[in-house]
Structure formats: structure tokens, C-alpha cells
Amino acid sequence: MSQTRPLRTPVSMALTGAQRGVYYAHHVASAGGSDAAGRYNVGQYIDLPGRLDPALLRAALECTVAETDALRTVVADGGAQPGGAGAAGADAEREEPHQVVHPELPWDGPLLEEADLTGREDPRGAALALMRADMAAPVDLAAGPLHRFVLYRIGPERHLWFQRFHHIVADAYAITTFTRRVAEVYTALASGGSSPERRFGGLSAVVAEEEDYAASERRAADREYWSALLADRPEPALLGDAPPAPAPAVVTAAGGLDAPTADRLAELGKRSGASWAEAVVAAFGCYVHRRTGARDVVLGMPAMGRLGSAALRTPAMVVNVLPLRLGLHPADTVADVLAHTTSRLRELRAHQRYRAEDVRRDLSLVGRGTPLHGPMINIKAFDYDLAFGGVRGTARTLSEGPVDDVSLSVYRGTGGGLRFELNGNAARYTADDLDTLLAEFGRLLRGIAAEGDEPEQADRRPLGTLDIADAAAACGPASDVPGSPVADLVAEAARRTPGAPAVQAAGVSLSFGELAARADALAVRLRAAGAGPERVVAVALPRSVDLVVALLAVGRAGAVYLPVDPGFPADRVGFMLADAGARLLVTDAATGAQLPETPGGTRLILMSRPAEDPAPETGPGHDSRQVPSPGSVADGAAYILYTSGSTGRPKGVVVSHGALANFLADMGDRFPLSA
């Protein structure tokens, strides 16, 4: 392996793409006031139980910082700069921000600070409080320092090594690589040896590779891929109901998955050609789908972009968070989802060097609040085995930077299980909210990798059958939930009591028999026009008896009901019909004349009067069993509702037959059909 010669003079060079993103975000956040001052600080602490030698740790740290260019760096706004890589000379002027790498630390003060907290009532708690305060402190990118190391002594043989970095100089891989190198050097020194030969590469090589990529044909191909993939992108589904907002702080929850279940999940993935990490990503996509109803799920996926590059052996900020777009459907099997996710991940990796910031620019999202992706998942498959001589260290994350929605970090535990850390935007979630989300995700994982299932049974399990809710906490006893779709319950009520009043509006009233007869007649017409399970039928009618008839008819046809308010703006109506893929639109002559032109492929069905309906006989004697429903599984789609779109595009939320029946059953006396 070739070695990089130590620097003799300061060298100026361009920022990496990841650094540019952090640079501009840092300045925007800093302009927002003190609450945002430390938003781009990232860090961790290493728990070191045992007889650690602080002097050896300081020596190991000094050796490692000497070979880590990023930790001897400051970031300047522009202007005159020293000559070197990426610069035209000593008098060169650069308008763009740039970084200056110094041969030695360019600021005063000890590299490793020490604090003895053993006299405190709660030494560990005191240390953590000091760490959190430091993580929130502002950092001057041009003056530095851009990192801080403190060794807290909290017991006779117990230390916590605190590490804080500004995100502009380090990502998670860089921090882990740096920490493992310090441990390696410490161990060599502790055994009486000398410091190991310099291992890290130079930052200039990383920057040079990025500049070569920027001018390459590969970048153009990558841009074409992302533009095509996201041309019809949906509004990302988020796990909470609160509107998107900047993160003033991050709240955290932790959880895990036992080793046997994790092993079964890995075996499940292996049968579909997926690694354990890809299986977890697929499961997280399933969870977002199950919780939000979104069939077009866009996750945030960190891509290191290091394989085959200088950045693989150079601690630096190069990580790229890209959108992982998954098309999911309740009828998809677990094997289908695993194969689909694995395929999309391979595509993402093949095009991972194209910056997310450039994707946003290509999609005209710069300066807008519309997120590029929803929840993020970060598989941290690094080697976290830290040995400082005879002392085993355990890393604990303090902050990974700002979080727009939620970010799930997944670690492979030492015992073979999985460890989860869920970080959430404090403007949108509480710690209790995150505990709930993790519990739901855990239930889904255990459902996917159920103990005792035959392999084929697990592979073929439909996505719509995976539970995330705690059955014990569900509203209403399970035995009270109707087992049939609501439209079929109405038909059953009409068979039992055909003459009982069912609906009244604007002076028009129908008995249950009359209502069922009209709904069945319309259902026959809808089926003949192509309506059926998982096919969307829009209904645009004023509040009237006809609206109730149409709603039930869509259900009796086995289709999915999409309500369209005739008063909506034309562009919203057009978007909903196209986005939902509505095959049919039921309306009346007066309302239909006011609606915008429907998208191609959407057929108009006009409500007709009962006498004009060609099928089942009407009246109290009508037997609804003449028009049997196709039937709908509890997890099949019953209807779609669209959000207001106040935070971007309107978002479709799918409600299942089971959820609708459960809701109506929970209404008790207000829902007599279940009696």
C-alpha cells in the first residue's frame, strides 16, 4: 500500500461534495440563532472500563491526528490562500469556500483534555451532561477547532472518552475508522512497540477523485438515472402527523432484536438473494408502508461511496444520503419485497457518487421545504470491536447530525442480535413517540421472521398480513370486529330487515332493501366497466342519497373508493385521479359538467335512476345475494384519502377494509349493522 508523505506547508483544496452541503447548511442554521448553533456537531463517547493509561491514549491520539488530514483542517469562505493541490498559486483567488489542511494543529490548547469527575455524586451523569452541552456549542469553521477530545474519569478504573467533530470534517465511517486506528496505535505502544507506520491516505486524493468524477461521462449517466427514477416522485411518506419542520434538537430511543430472530431474518433474506442488512432495509420499507399506507415509499439511504476510491482509507466527509424508492403493495409477498429492495439497492449503489444535493437541484427542490426522502435507515456494519491494550471499549453515539423526520441506525450486536437507535426530529416527535415506532417495527420484524414457520410459508406471507400494532392495545375487542367488508354488512342488513329506514337526505329516503338494490345495480355496471379488487373508482357527487349508493356500490364491486369533492380546484382533482390511477369516475350529469377533463384511461360513469338500472329487482323483497361481492381481505384497500397538500403534493393514504370495519364496530350503538 502506497503511503502519503506528511505535509510540510498548509495546502488549500476544494471541499468535497458532502462538505459543500454541510457548509451551506451550517451557515443557514447559524443564521437561525443560538438554538441551531450545534446542529452540525456529531460525536460519540467510548466507554472504557479497565486500567487505561491516559498518557498512552494522548500519545496514540497525537500519532493518529498527525496522519488524519481532516482533523488538521479549517474551512475558509474564499479569498487568497496558500498554494498547493487545487490552487493556482500563492496569490490565487477563490470565490468558492475551500479547506486548508495544516501540517500541524492550527490552534492552541491540548489535543486531549482530562477531567476527573469521581468526586461528583453521579460521575457518569455529570460527564454526559458536559458532553451534551459541548455538542450544542457553536463552531467557527474558519477558526476551529473542528473537533474536541475529552477523557472523563468517572471511577478508579473507568473512563469515558468523548469525541466531538463538526460534520464538515467527518462522517460515521471516518469517525469509526479514526477511533479504531487510535485503539490500534494505543495497543502497539502499550506492548512496548513503536507507533505503527502511517496508514491513512491524503485528503487531496479524495478531492482529486471527486473532481475527476465531476467531469466524467459516468456522472452524466448517473444524473440521467436519478432524473428518470424520480421524475414522477411522490411526496415522501413520514411516520408522524406533525408537519415538517427544522430540527431544533434530536430525541432518541433504543431497542433491539434477539439473535435467533435476527438469524431467521438473515436466512429469509438469503433465500431471496439478500444480505442481512438488505433484509433489514426491506423490512423497514415494509414498516413505513404498513404504518402510512403509502405504496410508493422513499427511504433515505446513506451511501459511503468509498469502495475502490481513496476515501476507503482516508477519514473524510464524503457520505451521500440518496433516495431509495420502493413500490410496495399489500398483496406483495415477503420474498417479492426482498427481491425488489435488493434490486433497487444495487441500482442505488451503481449510481451512488451522484450527490443528493445535485438531485435536489435537478428536481428544482432547492430553496423549497419538500424533502427528497422520508425516514432514513443507516446500516452500520462497521467493526466496532475496540481494544485499547487490555481494555475493551464500547462506542455510544451522541449525535449523527440533524434529522428531518426519523433516522434508524442498525448495529450488529456482539451476541448476534441487532441493536437499534432511532433518532427523531424533536419538532415532530417525543421520546415516547419513538418508543412506539420502535415497538411497532419490532413486531413487524418478528412477524416476518416468525419462529416455527416453514421457509415457503415465510417467503409467501403477504405484506398486508404483517401486524405492527399491539393487539392488546387495539381499540375494541377483536371479537367485536365484523369479518366482512362494510358494503357486504349493509347487504346482509337489507336481507334481514329490508323495510327498515336506511338513509335520508334532501327529502329523499331509502329503506335498506331499496338502498341495497340500487347499490347492487350500480355495482353490476361498475364490474362490467372493469371495477374489481385493488382497482380505484372515484366518486364525485354532492352530499345526497346517490353518494351513499355509489359508495356502497364501489364496495360491492370489490373496488377501492376514492372520494372527490366537486368543489376541489381542477388541478387537484386531476392530480388525485391520475395519482390514484382511477379507472372509473362515478358522477351525475350536473356535477360531471363542472369537473375538469379526466386523465386518459379514466372512464366516466353517470348515475342513473333506479328504473334505468338493468339488473336486480328493487324494493323490499330484493335479495342482495343475487349480486355476490368478490370479497375483500381485511388488509385489502377499501378507500383512499388525500392530504391537503399544504406541505407539498397531496399524499394518498390507503385505508383497509379491516381498519374501516374496526372503526365502525368501535362506534358501538352508532353502528347497528354489526348487531
Side-chain angles (χ1 to χ4, degrees), residues 6 88 92 184 269 302 335 447 526 560:
E184 178 187 26
L526 293 177
V560 184

Side-chain angles (χ1 to χ4, degrees), residues 6-11 65-67 69 72 100-106:
L7 298 176
R8 298 183 183 278
T9 60
V11 174
V65 169
E67 64 177 283
D69 287 354
R72 303 188 314 278
V100 180
V101 183
H102 292 260
E104 297 180 350
L105 293 178

Side-chain angles (χ1 to χ4, degrees), residues 301-666:
M301 192 74 197
M304 290 194 303
R306 283 178 155 91
L307 292 178
S309 75
L312 185 63
R313 63 185 188 92
T314 307
M317 174 54 177
V318 298
V319 71
N320 191 14
V321 181
L322 290 165
L324 175 66
R325 187 174 183 180
L326 303 175
L328 304 175
H329 189 282
D332 292 340
T333 66
V334 170
D336 291 336
V337 175
L338 286 167
H340 173 58
T341 303
T342 302
S343 176
R344 277 291 165 88
L345 281 169
R346 287 171 181 162
E347 292 177 15
L348 183 150
R349 295 183 191 114
H351 303 282
Q352 65 180 301
R353 296 196 66 179
Y354 196 76
R355 297 296 311 172
E357 296 87 354
D358 293 330
V359 175
R360 289 187 61 85
R361 187 175 298 107
D362 295 340
L363 298 175
S364 301
L365 295 179
V366 176
R368 297 171 56 186
T370 305
L372 186 60
H373 57 76
M376 188 167 83
I377 180 167
N378 191 359
I379 306 295
K380 295 192 171 181
F382 312 138
D383 184 354
Y384 284 91
D385 184 17
L386 299 171
F388 294 78
V391 179
R392 311 297 296 189
T394 302
R396 290 288 180 260
T397 302
L398 291 168
S399 175
E400 298 175 332
V403 178
D404 293 329
D405 184 53
V406 298
S407 177
L408 177 68
S409 294
V410 182
Y411 305 84
R412 191 75 175 182
T414 54
L418 299 178
R419 181 166 61 88
F420 302 136
E421 288 180 2
L422 185 63
N423 294 315
N425 181 344
R428 308 192 71 240
Y429 300 92
T430 66
D432 288 343
D433 293 334
L434 298 186
D435 284 335
T436 298
L437 297 180
L438 270 184
E440 292 176 347
F441 182 50
R443 290 187 197 100
L444 182 135
L445 286 171
R446 289 188 290 274
I448 290 176
E451 186 175 7
D453 279 357
E454 293 295 330
E456 288 189 1
Q457 179 183 356
D459 293 347
R460 294 176 181 174
R461 184 179 292 110
L463 193 53
T465 65
L466 299 173
D467 291 328
I468 63 172
D470 184 357
C475 293
S479 59
D480 290 344
V481 179
S484 301
V486 172
D488 289 358
L489 293 173
V490 174
E492 177 62 20
R495 187 184 65 81
R496 295 196 313 266
T497 56
V503 61
Q504 181 175 351
V508 179
S509 61
L510 294 177
S511 67
F512 271 103
E514 292 167 335
L515 175 62
R518 291 190 57 185
D520 283 350
L522 181 56
V524 169
R525 297 174 58 204
L526 293 177
R527 287 191 212 170
E534 302 300 329
R535 294 183 178 179
V536 177
V537 176
V539 177
L541 290 167
R543 289 179 176 269
S544 62
V545 167
D546 280 352
L547 178 61
V548 179
V549 170
L551 186 156
L552 293 173
V554 174
R556 290 288 280 166
V560 184
Y561 166 60
L562 172 66
V564 175
D565 189 328
F568 280 161
D571 57 348
R572 179 179 172 87
V573 172
F575 170 79
M576 290 169 56
L577 294 175
D579 185 65
R583 300 286 189 93
L584 306 171
L585 172 61
V586 179
T587 187
D588 56 28
T591 306
Q594 303 172 16
L595 294 174
E597 183 177 351
T598 58
T602 302
R603 177 180 170 186
L604 207 64
I605 301 293
L606 294 178
M607 291 288 292
S608 59
R609 297 189 179 278
E612 298 170 349
D613 287 332
E617 85 180 60
T618 63
H622 167 68
D623 185 349
S624 62
R625 288 172 294 186
Q626 296 176 18
V627 186
S629 168
S632 300
V633 296
D635 292 289
Y639 64 95
I640 301 174
L641 290 178
Y642 273 82
T643 61
S644 65
S646 58
T647 59
R649 291 185 178 185
K651 180 172 60 178
V653 178
V654 181
V655 180
S656 69
H657 284 284
L660 176 60
N662 186 60
F663 168 73
L664 293 175
D666 194 50

Side-chain angles (χ1 to χ4, degrees), residues 58-112:
R58 183 181 303 106
L61 193 56
E62 289 172 350
C63 289
T64 307
V65 169
E67 64 177 283
T68 308
D69 287 354
L71 298 188
R72 303 188 314 278
T73 295
V74 292
V75 179
D77 293 332
Q81 58 196 286
D91 297 326
E93 296 288 331
R94 185 195 299 271
E95 294 182 359
E96 292 292 321
H98 59 278
Q99 55 192 326
V100 180
V101 183
H102 292 260
E104 297 180 350
L105 293 178
W107 44 77
D108 297 326
L111 177 59
L112 178 66

